[in-house]
Amino acid sequence: DFTVSFFEGPPFAFAGAKHKHGNYANCVRFSEDGTLFASVGSDGYGVVYDGGTGVPLALCPPRSALGKKKNEDTNDGHAGSVYACAWSPSGRVLLTVGADKTAKAWDASGVLTKSAASAGDGARASPGGSLDALPRLAVTRTFRFAKEPGVGDMLVGCAFLGEETCVALSLD
């Protein structure tokens, strides 16, 4: 049903569906300290949530949501499905990889501050309106792995090997 659900515990109990992707939710990852988690999906969106409450905090929008063409060379969101994500050890960078053969580093440092502030006042309410009203993370770096079309170059996994080093896995 494309939803990202949140469970509180232990004992773990359903605390609600926090977001419904427009297509499959492909990956969900918590930051190392558990203050944030992110979901990415085949709709091209990434959503960052508060790790304690599941409240959506920020978006990693696809290129299409920004009015950019699929073939346009930009440092914006992915042009297609996003298959995996990973957090840097500090939680300041969210790395995403996708079918467009790119890995994108998103600046999540502002979300850490927002998450800490909401935890301090016990706020649990979801932001009003649609998710599109949420703040958007900025892409700080785009890594391109192929210039020629080829299914084998799609990126399907990623991980951090320290604060400054990351790896990506392609189908080939």
Side-chain angles (χ1 to χ4, degrees), residues 4 11 16 32 50 85 88 94 99 104 117-119 125 127 129 135 139 141 161:
V4 174
E32 195 171 296
D50 182 286
C85 62
S88 66
L94 177 65
K104 297 192 177 275
S118 70
V139 175
R141 184 130 187 232
L161 303 175

Side-chain angles (χ1 to χ4, degrees), residues 50 53 55 115 117-126:
D50 182 286
T53 64
V55 171
S115 178
S118 70
D121 63 13
R124 298 183 60 87
S126 180

Side-chain angles (χ1 to χ4, degrees), residues 7-158:
F7 294 81
E8 293 177 319
F12 292 101
F14 180 69
K18 300 302 179 179
H19 173 63
K20 184 171 182 131
H21 278 277
N23 206 326
Y24 296 106
N26 293 323
C27 183
V28 175
R29 293 284 183 266
F30 272 86
S31 61
E32 195 171 296
D33 64 2
T35 59
L36 299 172
F37 74 95
S39 68
V40 295
S42 290
D43 58 358
Y45 277 92
V47 182
V48 177
Y49 309 83
D50 182 286
T53 64
V55 171
L57 297 174
L59 282 182
C60 302
R63 193 171 305 165
S64 60
L66 301 170
K68 309 283 178 156
K69 295 178 183 164
K70 190 172 188 174
N71 299 351
E72 199 171 347
D73 190 21
T74 67
N75 206 32
D76 292 317
H78 286 280
S81 295
V82 183
Y83 291 123
C85 62
W87 289 97
S88 66
S90 68
R92 295 184 185 283
V93 177
L94 177 65
L95 181 70
T96 59
V97 296
D100 62 356
K101 303 165 192 77
T102 65
K104 297 192 177 275
W106 302 81
D107 179 6
S109 57
V111 179
L112 284 170
T113 307
K114 185 175 184 178
S115 178
S118 70
D121 63 13
R124 298 183 60 87
S126 180
S130 85
L131 287 177
D132 289 329
L134 292 174
R136 296 176 176 201
L137 299 186
V139 175
T140 59
R141 184 130 187 232
T142 297
F143 304 92
R144 297 192 194 303
F145 290 91
K147 294 196 182 224
E148 298 297 320
V151 174
D153 294 318
M154 290 192 313
L155 301 179
V156 295
C158 60

